[in-house]
Amino acid sequence: MVAQLCSDFNHKYGEVNKQLDKMGYNIGMRLVEDFFAKSGVQRCGNFKETAETISKIGFKMFLNITPMVSNWSADNKSFSLIFEENPLADFVELPNDGRAQDELWFSNIFCGILRGALEMVQMQVEAHYVSDVLRGNDITEMRITLLRYMEDEMPPDDE
């Protein structure tokens, strides 16, 4: 899928990253219902609880991995997920064009999935990768920041 996007967008990796995020966002919006149905988890009480639920239940349920939650900000609105393993990156080599190592986030679909799923439970977040072993870093780290809690908004003309 990523290789096809790279081809479709003429190796404009910024665009590929956006498309992966958009695809993930749409998946996350639908995946959250399946998550609640299968896990039996109730709404989390705070963002720290949400982070632990994502790591220990969500990733475990759908990908059979458990990224580590760490690097909390002082205000508890930002944390990192540290991936010791990433099934999307198995047997993958980034294109050797001198740009992919600096521009392409191969697993960016995960960022979109988290954004979409959390938006469905009224949390607007920003998610991005800080490092990736595919880029030669020691670890793969995703940073998630809570931007705001969203109000339950009624669609227009809905009572």
Side-chain angles (χ1 to χ4, degrees):
M1 173 181 61
V2 177
Q4 184 61 50
L5 286 171
C6 288
S7 176
D8 290 350
F9 288 97
N10 297 315
H11 299 278
K12 294 178 182 163
Y13 300 120
E15 263 318 297
V16 173
N17 293 336
K18 286 179 192 174
Q19 289 301 315
L20 288 168
D21 184 79
K22 184 191 284 186
M23 292 166 67
Y25 179 82
N26 291 327
I27 292 168
M29 291 181 76
R30 292 188 305 275
L31 201 60
V32 74
E33 290 179 29
D34 196 34
F35 170 78
F36 282 119
K38 288 181 179 177
S39 70
V41 170
Q42 300 298 313
R43 275 204 170 191
C44 297
N46 57 48
F47 198 51
K48 274 197 159 197
E49 196 176 313
T50 300
E52 292 297 327
T53 300
I54 289 167
S55 170
K56 292 186 171 95
I57 301 172
F59 273 99
K60 184 71 173 171
M61 180 186 299
F62 293 110
L63 295 169
N64 200 30
I65 62 172
T66 307
M68 183 177 64
V69 176
S70 67
N71 302 328
W72 278 98
S73 62
D75 62 2
N76 289 329
K77 291 187 177 183
S78 189
F79 66 92
S80 292
L81 288 175
I82 309 296
F83 295 84
E84 290 185 15
E85 53 187 324
N86 178 354
L88 291 185
D90 287 345
F91 311 109
V92 170
E93 289 184 27
L94 294 180
N96 191 12
D97 62 4
R99 293 181 19 252
Q101 294 280 52
D102 296 326
E103 299 174 22
L104 179 62
W105 294 106
F106 192 85
S107 301
N108 213 45
I109 197 165
F110 287 158
C111 294
I113 289 171
L114 288 179
R115 281 190 326 103
L118 290 174
E119 191 168 299
M120 294 303 291
V121 293
Q122 278 69 47
M123 290 183 209
Q124 184 179 21
V125 300
E126 196 269 338
H128 66 276
Y129 279 94
V130 175
S131 61
D132 191 338
V133 294
L134 289 176
R135 290 176 156 207
N137 302 116
D138 293 334
I139 60 169
T140 298
E141 177 181 354
M142 181 195 301
R143 192 83 184 145
I144 297 96
T145 302
L146 176 65
L147 301 176
R148 69 183 181 104
Y149 288 102
M150 301 161 52
E151 298 296 319
D152 285 329
E153 297 169 7
M154 299 284 284
D157 300 321
D158 204 21
E159 296 181 27

